[in-house]
Amino acid sequence: MKTLGIILLSAMLTDNFVLSKFMGICPFLGVSKKLDSASGMGIAVTFVMICATVVTYPIHYCILVPNGLEYFDTVVFILVIALFVQLVEIILKKMIPPLYKSLGVYLPLITTNCAVLGATVLNIDNNYSFFQSIVNSLGAGLGFMIALVIFSGVRKKLEYADIPETFKGVPATLIAASIVSVSFMGFSGLFS
């Protein structure tokens, strides 16, 4: 049985949703240009992951499983995620308008972010308890934010790098993303 600390660190480092499982690549590439928008998106995704887990776990085990409706997991989970994304969107629009504007179209895309859905589904697939699921979602969200923040720093350095003309823009960004991903492979085997 995994301890909560191992689950948290594993979700952040060795099983990083962006850099190891390649989930959530769209916001990873789209929002990582600036540190403030990257950290804001990371916080928003972490909040939605945790809230979605808190709601979807009991729905799965208390409603869907007893009624033999497990095949509705994906639909129900997406609806719950959409609810929390709308909540985050309303809060950001009212309380932090600059962050709301900087996230732009990527904020509503959290609804279809496979990292958020992946966290809720993998919690069930890994047979985690309720608290283990919350810790795993927290680790997954923090790992997502770490990846965004690190990559925003890399992209800032790319702006000033002397890059051949053919590699400027998207090619350089994708190559840099692959190098950051490979660097996280150093954490593999840290937890078993």
Side-chain angles (χ1 to χ4, degrees):
M1 181 122 173
K2 290 183 174 181
T3 65
L4 296 179
I6 289 175
I7 291 172
L8 179 72
L9 290 174
S10 177
M12 288 171 58
L13 302 174
T14 58
D15 295 328
N16 187 291
F17 274 67
V18 177
L19 301 173
S20 295
K21 297 181 190 245
F22 306 107
M23 294 183 183
I25 298 296
C26 178
F28 173 70
L29 294 174
V31 182
S32 60
K33 288 182 181 178
K34 295 181 181 176
L35 178 62
D36 58 340
S37 59
S39 56
M41 177 61 89
I43 292 167
V45 167
T46 303
F47 174 77
V48 170
M49 276 185 179
I50 293 169
C51 291
T53 296
V54 167
V55 174
T56 58
Y57 190 92
I59 287 173
H60 174 79
Y61 284 108
C62 298
I63 297 172
L64 298 177
V65 170
N67 293 307
L69 301 171
E70 300 91 0
Y71 53 88
F72 278 122
D73 273 349
T74 304
V75 174
V76 171
F77 290 6
I78 288 174
L79 290 173
V80 168
I81 291 165
L83 172 94
F84 284 110
V85 169
Q86 288 300 310
L87 179 66
V88 167
E89 195 169 359
I90 291 168
I91 290 170
L92 287 179
K93 191 173 186 178
K94 294 286 182 189
M95 300 181 91
I96 314 170
L99 179 59
Y100 174 78
K101 287 183 180 183
S102 73
L103 293 176
V105 71
Y106 295 101
L107 188 58
L109 286 177
I110 295 175
T111 304
T112 58
N113 187 342
C114 58
V116 178
L117 180 61
T120 57
V121 170
L122 287 174
N123 288 331
I124 299 212
D125 288 349
N126 290 334
N127 293 317
Y128 285 151
S129 69
F130 181 69
F131 292 110
Q132 287 175 325
S133 296
I134 293 171
V135 168
N136 186 54
S137 293
L138 172 65
L142 292 175
F144 187 82
M145 184 165 50
I146 288 169
L148 280 171
V149 168
I150 288 173
F151 198 58
S152 72
V154 170
R155 289 187 76 172
K156 192 72 170 168
K157 290 284 188 187
L158 282 175
E159 288 179 18
Y160 302 108
D162 185 25
I163 299 171
E165 194 63 37
T166 55
F167 287 108
K168 285 188 178 177
V170 176
T173 302
L174 293 176
I175 291 168
S178 66
I179 292 170
V180 171
S181 178
V182 167
S183 70
F184 265 67
M185 287 178 62
F187 295 116
S188 63
L190 190 61
F191 308 107
S192 49

